[in-house]
Amino acid sequence: AGLPAITAALAEGISVNVTLIFGLDRYSQVMEAFLAGMEQARANGHDLSKIASVASFFVSRVDTEVDKRLDKLGSAEAKALRGKAAVANARLAYQRYAEVFSSERWRALADAGAHPQRPLWASTSTKNPDYRDVVYVEELIAPGTVNTMPEPVIHAYADHGETRPDTVTGNYEDARQVLDALERHGVDFADVVATLEREGVEKFEASWAELLDGVRRSIEAAAAQVGGKA
């Protein structure tokens, strides 16, 4: 349901952060929604250079869900794949980004002043203490990306992170092999993505409801205080 909203907001000249992206097909739909919105914004006479957008692609939660399923499988081969899915998935997302934002369709928008919708790596803290605490930073360095690091990760990376020019674009084939291996060992990656998206939306919806409830209670308390003084 969020896809047409992305297009509609951009068409009105409103910058958009598209969040809770977990899967490659959904990401392709997000980029399509972005291109359509920017094309409509151009038709509506908006200054494309003033419109910004990022696509927040979630990382660590993918490993959390996949590792849980690999542990249930229990084989040595399955366990050898633990901690590999998230980076592989994100790298293949970047491959799609590179393809879309080198197309003729995009170049027409760029010539009109548009900025690319940048891939934003979200959920980049390491949930498993056995993994390197900056793995989702070091392994996802590529031109045009944003990495939203929680404060502990920022400090960890400043202390011992390794910065290389590009840790993504030369690794597409290896990334594809990781996802293929997961499927061979019985991990339904499409279901992983669907589960994470559904749970993510539910959590965001609960947080939104909690926020609205807090605002409502604050308004009621303020109204009662004003009424009491009157």
Side-chain angles (χ1 to χ4, degrees):
L3 293 167
I6 296 165
T7 298
L10 291 166
E12 295 298 324
I14 300 169
S15 296
V16 178
N17 170 8
V18 184
T19 191
L20 286 178
I21 307 170
F22 295 97
L24 300 177
D25 290 342
R26 181 71 77 208
Y27 181 41
S28 291
Q29 293 172 339
V30 166
M31 289 187 288
E32 169 61 31
F34 169 78
L35 293 175
M38 295 299 283
E39 288 166 345
Q40 291 181 29
R42 180 180 58 188
N44 291 338
H46 292 289
D47 182 351
L48 300 191
S49 69
K50 296 186 182 303
I51 306 173
S53 184
V54 293
S56 295
F57 199 92
F58 279 57
V59 185
S60 68
R61 295 188 197 181
V62 173
D63 271 343
T64 300
E65 181 65 24
V66 169
D67 287 359
K68 181 171 63 177
R69 300 184 185 208
L70 290 170
D71 288 342
K72 285 183 178 179
L73 292 172
S75 68
E77 294 84 358
K79 289 184 177 180
L81 291 169
R82 295 174 81 255
K84 295 182 178 181
V87 168
N89 191 44
R91 284 173 170 170
L92 293 176
Y94 188 84
Q95 182 182 31
R96 295 199 180 193
Y97 159 81
E99 291 170 353
V100 168
F101 288 93
S102 61
S103 66
E104 289 294 330
R105 184 181 180 188
W106 165 248
R107 277 194 283 270
L109 288 168
D111 290 344
H115 302 293
Q117 182 188 56
R118 300 171 71 184
L120 183 153
W121 309 129
S123 183
T124 55
S125 60
T126 307
K127 306 297 189 292
N128 188 329
D130 293 336
Y131 300 157
R132 184 167 168 80
D133 56 0
V134 291
V135 63
Y136 302 125
V137 183
E138 291 178 334
E139 300 303 322
L140 293 175
I141 300 171
T145 59
V146 182
N147 194 310
T148 51
M149 292 179 275
E151 187 175 357
V153 180
I154 293 175
H155 292 307
Y157 196 80
D159 178 66
H160 53 265
E162 180 183 349
T163 302
R164 287 164 282 167
D166 185 340
T167 58
V168 176
T169 58
N171 294 294
Y172 296 148
E173 183 55 35
D174 288 345
R176 174 52 59 192
Q177 289 178 9
V178 168
L179 296 194
D180 289 346
L182 289 172
E183 294 288 348
R184 286 198 307 273
H185 285 86
V187 175
D188 184 345
F189 199 73
D191 185 67
V192 168
V193 168
T195 297
L196 289 169
E197 184 177 276
R198 183 180 65 256
E199 292 178 349
V201 170
E202 289 172 355
K203 290 175 183 177
F204 273 37
E205 184 178 12
S207 295
W208 177 243
E210 183 180 351
L211 173 64
L212 290 181
D213 185 58
V215 171
R216 178 186 57 76
R217 285 186 280 107
S218 295
I219 292 173
E220 289 174 352
Q225 186 177 27
V226 171
K229 291 180 179 179

